[in-house]
Amino acid sequence: MDLTLLPPEIAEAHQRFACSVAASADLDSLMRLKGEFTGREASHASRMMDVLKTAPKEQKRELGAVINALKNEWEEALKNRQIELEAAKKSAASLATSWDPDLPPPLPVHGAIHPLNRLMDRLVDVFRPLGYHVEEGPETETEANNFDGLNIPEDHPARGSADTFYFSAHAGKLLRTHTSPVQVRVLQRIAPDIEKLGGIRFLAPGRVYRKDEIDPTHSPMFHQVEGMLVGHGIGMHHLKGTLSYAMKALFGPAADVRFRPSYFPFVEPGCEVDVRCPLCGGSGCRVCKGSGWVEILGAGLVHPNVLKFAGIDPTVWSGFAFGMGVERTAMMVSQTPDLRLFFENDQRFLKAMGGLD
Amino acid sequence: MLIERRALNAELPAINEMSNLELCELLASLGFPVDGVETKDDQTVLEVDVTANRGDTLSQRGMARDIGAKCNAMLSAIPHRTLREGAPLFPVRLEADACPVYSTAILELGMVASTPADVVCFLSSMGSTAKQMPAVDASNELLHRYGHPTHAFDADTLKGALVVRWGRAGETLRTLDGVERTLTAEDLVIADEAAAIALAGVMGGDSTKVTAGTKRVLLESAWFDPRVVRRMSHRHGLHSDASYRFGRGVDPVMAQVARDLLAARLEDWAGAKLLGAWTAGQVPAARPAITLRKQTLARIAGTVIELTEAAALLRQLGCAVVIHDQYLESVSPSWRQDLTIEEDLAEEVLRLRGFDRIDSVLPPLEGAPLPLASSYLQARNVARRLAHVGFCQTVTLGFISPDVDADFAGADNPPEGRTLGNPLGQEFSVMRPTLLASLKTTAELNLRQGAKEVKLFEVGPIYRSTAEGPSESLALAVVWAGSLGGEDYLTRLRPVQAADLLGIIRDLGVKGAIALQELGEGMLGVEISLSALPEHEDRIIPKFIPFSRFPTVERDLSLLVDLAQPYVDLEVAMAKALRRAAGGCFQSLGCVDVFRHKSLPTGRQAWLMRLRFQGDDRTLTSDEVDGWVNAALEAGQGLGAELRG
């Protein structure tokens, strides 16, 4: 194309055009460039049209072709650059509002049910399908409920002030030393209706108090879960069947139980119940001291005196009762080395050991 | 209780070949778990756990007897020369029922006196050191070997007749441990004509003790009522090997035998010469027979056990058994004082048969199961809800110190009625009036441990002093301390505010006023009675309430109000106006933003109130909503609010 037909400043501008387009970094500068070259007024294009108007007739045809070609070239280049810049702008805008999905998201912070409560809740869930409900009693008890009603003799050492906390201003009021007084309360309450109810079966989880110094295995306050069933013709085989079911439900199908004779004033016969070590499965480990068994419960058939005290005829009704130390079981299962951790309530411990249900 | 393997074997030769491991398992199956096995001077010593009802097994022979019953093996005979009962050299008067039999003898000690080496060794196995005083060492040996405590007095210190009688109030006795004890009428004592000389079955007196210079000894071998001994031991805080055994019940028949054995040892070891032996009172008659019905045994065992089998097992224990058609009658041996009811016999039959032979059967369901109490479910549900929204449940001790109590308890809840008479220590002496005291301490501990945010709750009883004694009620306390957020790129770090905690409590369904407490800097707490929470809803699905499907119209009103303007007043006034104007179309009203800035007029703040309307049966028009909004605005203006331009 013959640029010599055009005024020299336009030819010169055209020489710069490609560079200027490339140098336009944003739409604003591109629009300014567009105005300079192809704008309606005072642009190189409008000036070329003026030149064309005044050009000699014989040049008009050739000049017109040159001007058209230039205008087309400019418009094409500007349009392409505009598309490029618009795309770049869009992509920058989209980056600004987009987020790397791998950035750590805000997580809901969870808390925890205390591990001791969790174990007690779990026990309730285990016994619920067997028809047990939950009974609760106060922590402040009378000697009658805590001792007398449980066939504990008047001179039993557990009644002494070295073992049991008594209130100073109220003689005979004490902090219960076990959850067994709930047995007394429930039996007395249901005694008039026992025929209609067809006996009773319940769990009584709760806090109890004994005068033990605080150390890695003792606490003056701890938890027990008491269980009791009263019905017709209840024997040791029923106790074994029930605890065998419960321990399997709690620890898994390998959790056999073993009964050893023992003595508690409120049961006869009485036994200690061992469960096959839930940690080693019976092959012997540190927790079961190599024996394959861990002691987990005290139990037995309800002593006739306990039924009589509550006004229930022991020649008609019989039953069993059992009691589990919650802390000891929790420590055994979790291998927590120090009982005090359960009462210190460090959030790190609670979150690690507790759970949401 | 310590068992020396050699001494046990001597009593029951049948177990000579049994390994220690087998023996431990056998003992455990009989109800005597072994806590430890030790070797002392070449002797194996087992530490055996004995339950409080089995006083008969508190000796080598007693334990051997129970093992022998299980293995159906004979005990060795006690090497024993029976002394001829003669006329009393000292009169003995039994003035209390608690001592039915009292055997005694007087010996003159010889010049040579030494305790045989094998006895010294046995005593060492029992954790006791020989004193090289035959009367003392022999008595000690007999106690551990045969389980019958005996005592020796220096006969030349006794003044007149020996009397077993109740103590006299105010009377004193210096016991062998050097403590001067004041006696009561419930103390059973051995006395001479002058004074009490021993606490029966518990400990001898200092003034009559055997010393190196003793020439003549008077031996005592008696039987004392276990209940009396237990009470004395407890009352005087005095627990001896003798009181441990008498208190759990020893064999009364052994009284005379033990005296004979003791006298024989003094003759053999110390060249003593017997001057006379006599016994006051009589061994109590055997207890009446206990009936064990076949039916009861079958019920307890879970299977039919023939009476012949049961009788054979009971006979192995030393019972005299007569079998009838449907029951047996058993007279217990003198050493088994713990057998009193038919259940006891059933237990013995099962024990010797082996508890491992008991079947495993689930009991039938006789009555309908009872539901879980709503109070139990409520406590469990509230704990779960709080755990889900980030709070950790704590378990803290129920007692606190009086100082902390004073900071928390109201004037209407004095500590006296909640105070323990025998606390572990001052700081554990008052039953807490609130859970917040414990939660505050726990939250502080967590903050000290570096926690940025502490969210705790506890469900437990709190105590109130009443005329009848301490009364408990279940409470829920929640504590929130520190700052929240700042752990991710979307949530800003900010201090915990009262509204945060209020929101949690409202979420639990608590209506009405909620009293938050500032427990410390940036630490907020609240305690509510569990009964203030909505009851556990037992309906599977609540009753259906119809809802409108027409669009909701939302309008925001930015109001300038005084900084001191109570929010509740404004909300109540505006809601009242809206209910009057819009009726059922008025849905809700609430402040969704608070703006305080120096650009606002002095003393004023801006509340952005959001109003929502919805028609039950139509789409609302803009005009009618405008009218209702104006009514609300007018109500606000009545309280000094103005529309922010």
Side-chain angles (χ1 to χ4, degrees):
Chain A
M1 142 175 38
D2 188 1
L3 293 181
T4 54
L5 294 175
L6 292 172
E9 70 275 12
I10 290 180
E12 204 176 299
H14 179 67
Q15 297 294 336
R16 286 185 283 110
F17 178 73
C19 284
S20 301
V21 168
S24 298
D26 54 45
L27 285 167
D28 282 353
S29 51
L30 187 71
M31 288 307 123
R32 279 196 298 279
L33 196 67
K34 192 177 175 181
E36 189 187 327
F37 279 84
T38 63
R40 219 174 273 277
E41 288 164 22
S43 68
H44 297 306
S46 65
R47 245 170 275 140
M48 286 195 300
M49 291 316 286
D50 295 344
V51 171
L52 184 62
K53 272 180 208 156
T54 57
K57 212 168 191 165
E58 62 279 12
Q59 275 188 10
K60 272 193 181 179
R61 186 182 166 82
E62 194 184 348
L63 187 59
V66 169
I67 289 172
N68 254 342
L70 264 190
K71 267 172 73 179
N72 284 344
E73 187 186 333
W74 291 347
E75 274 166 5
E76 180 74 17
L78 285 165
K79 199 175 115 198
N80 287 343
R81 182 62 181 157
Q82 186 174 351
I83 289 168
E84 255 174 57
L85 285 176
E86 272 171 356
K89 186 178 174 185
K90 207 168 163 190
S91 112
S94 98
L95 265 183
T97 55
S98 81
W99 298 93
D100 183 340
D102 290 332
L103 276 171
L107 291 172
V109 179
H110 70 87
I113 304 282
H114 194 281
L116 297 175
N117 288 83
R118 206 177 175 208
L119 178 54
M120 289 191 285
D121 289 352
R122 186 63 56 88
L123 274 164
V124 171
D125 294 344
V126 161
F127 277 92
R128 194 69 189 129
L130 297 186
Y132 288 65
H133 67 283
V134 175
E135 294 279 356
E136 290 172 295
E139 295 176 5
T140 315
E141 267 295 2
T142 60
E143 283 189 76
N145 286 340
N146 198 71
F147 297 123
D148 301 345
L150 293 164
N151 197 39
I152 297 172
E154 250 175 66
D155 51 35
H156 196 280
R159 289 181 182 245
S161 59
D163 290 327
T164 302
F165 292 114
Y166 287 90
F167 284 91
S168 56
H170 300 278
K173 289 267 182 176
L174 49 82
L175 291 176
R176 66 178 177 187
T177 58
H178 43 190
T179 40
S180 306
V182 180
Q183 289 185 16
V184 182
R185 289 175 172 270
V186 172
L187 291 180
Q188 284 179 334
R189 189 189 74 217
I190 65 148
D193 302 320
I194 189 163
E195 283 295 343
K196 210 167 70 199
L197 288 167
I200 186 113
R201 41 181 82 190
F202 65 87
L203 286 192
R207 302 183 206 224
V208 302
Y209 293 83
R210 279 182 209 173
K211 207 174 163 186
D212 284 324
E213 293 287 344
I214 300 172
D215 70 23
T217 54
H218 294 90
S219 165
M221 185 193 86
F222 56 100
H223 296 74
Q224 287 186 333
V225 174
E226 188 89 3
M228 183 179 225
L229 179 146
V230 175
H232 290 99
I234 299 304
M236 291 295 276
H237 54 308
H238 292 135
L239 176 61
K240 206 178 209 177
T242 301
L243 293 178
S244 174
Y245 156 81
M247 292 305 113
K248 284 181 165 60
L250 196 60
F251 297 120
D256 289 332
V257 295
R258 178 175 84 170
F259 278 22
R260 285 181 288 106
S262 190
Y263 170 72
F264 307 98
F266 34 97
V267 288
E268 189 65 45
C271 59
E272 301 266 15
V273 182
D274 297 336
V275 65
R276 198 175 286 283
C277 179
L279 294 168
C280 66
S283 57
C285 66
R286 207 168 44 84
V287 170
C288 60
K289 298 192 187 85
S291 72
W293 295 91
V294 282
E295 187 187 320
I296 198 152
L297 286 147
L301 298 189
V302 181
H303 197 286
N305 289 351
V306 172
L307 294 172
K308 263 186 244 169
F309 185 91
I312 293 170
D313 183 353
T315 63
V316 176
W317 297 95
S318 48
F320 61 68
F322 55 87
M324 178 192 267
V326 178
E327 279 78 357
R328 203 166 58 153
T329 306
M331 283 176 81
M332 187 263 291
V333 173
S334 63
Q335 298 182 70
T336 302
D338 194 325
L339 174 59
R340 289 171 292 194
L341 285 162
F342 288 97
F343 304 116
E344 186 187 310
N345 301 297
D346 188 307
Q347 285 186 145
R348 292 167 293 188
F349 175 81
L350 297 176
K351 285 186 181 178
M353 309 293 288
L356 293 177
D357 55 3
Chain B
M1 224 269 304
L2 297 174
I3 292 291
E4 188 199 59
R5 190 65 211 268
R6 181 174 60 178
L8 189 72
N9 291 2
E11 299 299 325
L12 190 68
I15 59 164
N16 269 334
E17 303 303 317
M18 194 182 280
S19 74
N20 283 327
L21 191 65
E22 286 169 323
L23 178 62
C24 287
E25 281 179 9
L26 181 69
L27 283 168
S29 77
L30 284 170
F32 307 104
V34 178
D35 285 342
V37 179
E38 257 189 82
T39 305
K40 277 189 198 168
D41 310 326
D42 295 343
Q43 292 307 313
T44 303
V45 179
L46 312 181
E47 198 188 334
V48 184
D49 235 12
V50 177
T51 50
N53 58 328
R54 292 302 302 273
D56 64 301
T57 58
L58 293 173
S59 66
Q60 314 301 304
R61 189 172 182 83
M63 200 53 84
R65 187 165 47 213
D66 217 55
I67 298 167
K70 171 77 180 177
C71 310
N72 201 11
M74 292 287 287
L75 287 175
S76 314
I78 298 177
H80 153 232
R81 307 191 288 266
T82 307
L83 298 187
R84 205 165 57 84
E85 299 285 332
L89 300 183
F90 274 92
V92 175
R93 291 202 307 271
L94 305 184
E95 293 183 354
D97 294 344
C99 176
V101 60
Y102 194 98
S103 267
T104 185
I106 290 194
L107 294 103
E108 193 171 280
L109 296 180
M111 302 308 287
V112 195
S114 77
T115 305
D118 61 329
V119 173
V120 172
C121 179
F122 172 67
L123 288 177
S124 152
S125 290
M126 295 296 108
S128 156
T129 312
K131 305 278 185 304
Q132 289 301 335
M133 284 196 284
V136 176
D137 291 344
S139 171
N140 207 4
E141 183 217 344
L142 292 176
L143 175 137
H144 288 294
R145 201 181 292 284
Y146 298 117
H148 201 91
T150 52
H151 185 66
F153 297 100
D154 183 335
D156 296 314
T157 61
L158 302 178
K159 300 169 186 71
L162 277 185
V163 192
V164 185
R165 60 163 169 83
W166 296 110
R168 295 176 185 132
E171 192 176 12
T172 58
L173 166 66
R174 181 188 289 273
T175 40
L176 276 175
D177 54 2
V179 178
E180 187 87 10
R181 299 182 186 273
T182 303
L183 306 180
T184 74
E186 278 110 48
D187 287 322
L188 186 68
V189 297
I190 319 299
D192 62 11
E193 302 283 16
I197 57 169
L199 268 183
V202 181
M203 193 173 271
D206 191 57
S207 65
T208 54
K209 73 178 172 195
V210 174
T211 63
T214 298
K215 302 245 174 357
R216 294 191 309 153
V217 290
L218 181 137
L219 308 184
E220 167 195 292
S221 181
W223 188 86
F224 304 109
D225 186 328
R227 280 169 305 174
V228 172
V229 174
R230 282 202 300 268
R231 280 181 212 146
M232 280 200 288
S233 183
H234 181 63
R235 191 161 42 246
H236 294 286
L238 185 53
H239 303 277
S240 62
D241 283 340
S243 70
Y244 182 59
R245 286 167 177 79
F246 278 124
R248 283 167 159 72
V250 302
D251 180 2
V253 169
M254 279 298 286
Q256 240 166 307
V257 177
R259 179 214 46 196
D260 296 353
L261 289 168
L262 183 55
R265 275 162 173 66
L266 293 184
E267 287 174 325
D268 295 347
W269 301 357
K273 192 175 143 223
L274 182 71
L275 303 179
W278 68 100
T279 296
Q282 275 178 343
V283 172
R287 292 169 190 237
I290 306 166
T291 301
L292 173 60
R293 287 163 294 174
K294 194 175 174 183
Q295 195 192 347
T296 307
L297 182 58
R299 192 256 299 166
I300 291 174
T303 183
V304 174
I305 296 175
E306 293 305 328
L307 289 178
T308 46
E309 185 190 349
L313 293 168
L314 291 172
R315 284 181 187 125
Q316 280 167 226
L317 287 171
C319 297
V321 185
V322 179
I323 302 178
H324 300 271
D325 182 28
Q326 289 300 316
Y327 64 96
L328 61 76
E329 283 182 301
S330 168
V331 176
S332 306
S334 56
W335 56 87
R336 287 303 298 269
Q337 316 245 325
D338 58 311
L339 303 180
T340 52
I341 56 174
E342 78 175 325
E343 284 81 358
D344 293 330
L345 294 187
E347 177 178 49
E348 289 306 288
V349 171
L350 290 190
R351 196 170 66 92
L352 292 194
R353 253 180 125 239
F355 272 28
D356 53 336
R357 289 177 64 188
I358 297 170
D359 289 336
S360 192
V361 177
L362 280 173
L365 193 58
E366 291 187 51
L370 299 178
L372 292 173
S374 117
S375 60
Y376 168 78
L377 289 170
Q378 187 189 42
R380 195 165 158 169
N381 290 346
V382 76
R384 284 184 182 179
R385 177 66 191 149
L386 285 167
H388 276 277
V389 296
F391 288 81
C392 288
Q393 185 175 30
T394 65
V395 172
T396 52
L397 298 181
F399 20 61
I400 57 175
S401 80
D403 295 343
V404 174
D405 186 71
D407 290 343
F408 282 90
D412 58 339
N413 191 7
E416 290 74 24
R418 299 179 276 117
T419 300
L420 298 175
N422 57 332
L424 260 191
Q426 183 79 354
E427 78 243 63
F428 307 118
S429 61
V430 186
M431 298 313 289
R432 56 186 171 187
T434 166
L435 303 172
L436 285 175
S438 317
L439 279 189
K440 177 178 191 246
T441 312
T442 307
E444 284 166 351
L445 179 128
N446 273 285
L447 290 170
R448 273 202 307 281
Q449 292 286 319
K452 270 169 59 184
E453 183 182 12
V454 179
K455 297 169 85 172
L456 302 173
F457 75 98
E458 181 152 346
V459 178
I462 53 172
Y463 289 79
R464 168 164 282 283
S465 298
T466 71
E468 293 78 44
S471 88
E472 333 169 11
S473 59
L474 269 186
L476 162 73
V478 185
V479 163
W480 199 343
S483 54
L484 57 137
E487 294 295 323
D488 62 77
Y489 70 95
L490 289 180
T491 320
R492 274 197 348 268
L493 179 76
R494 64 172 176 85
V496 174
Q497 295 189 14
D500 296 319
L501 185 52
L502 269 177
I504 293 296
I505 303 301
R506 291 271 183 242
D507 169 70
L508 298 177
V510 178
K511 305 267 190 290
I514 296 168
L516 295 191
Q517 294 188 40
E518 193 157 346
L519 298 172
E521 206 190 318
M523 187 188 295
L524 294 157
V526 62
E527 180 169 82
I528 51 174
S529 165
L530 223 53
S531 58
L533 292 173
E535 276 208 23
H536 175 75
E537 182 65 64
D538 217 19
R539 282 178 94 129
I540 302 166
I541 302 172
K543 187 178 183 308
F544 173 69
I545 299 167
F547 55 92
S548 165
R549 293 186 184 275
F550 291 93
T552 304
V553 179
E554 200 174 280
R555 292 291 175 85
D556 285 354
L557 272 182
S558 182
L559 298 181
L560 278 177
V561 296
D562 280 345
L563 286 172
Q565 172 68 44
Y567 173 74
V568 176
D569 294 354
L570 184 79
E571 196 199 85
V572 167
M574 289 176 73
K576 197 172 153 196
L578 284 167
R579 263 192 299 276
R580 199 165 42 217
C585 296
F586 167 49
Q587 294 280 307
S588 68
L589 162 74
C591 174
V592 294
D593 192 35
V594 174
F595 181 63
R596 291 179 177 187
H597 195 257
K598 56 178 187 277
S599 62
L600 298 178
T602 313
R604 304 283 267 179
Q605 59 183 330
W607 284 345
L608 187 64
M609 303 297 290
R610 182 157 296 165
L611 294 65
R612 281 202 185 92
F613 305 93
Q614 191 180 29
D616 279 341
D617 50 359
R618 66 201 158 93
T619 303
L620 301 177
T621 66
S622 176
D623 283 352
E624 59 187 338
V625 173
D626 288 348
W628 298 335
V629 172
N630 271 334
L633 178 60
E634 275 166 28
Q637 285 163 338
L639 288 171
E642 55 183 323
L643 196 60
R644 191 174 158 220

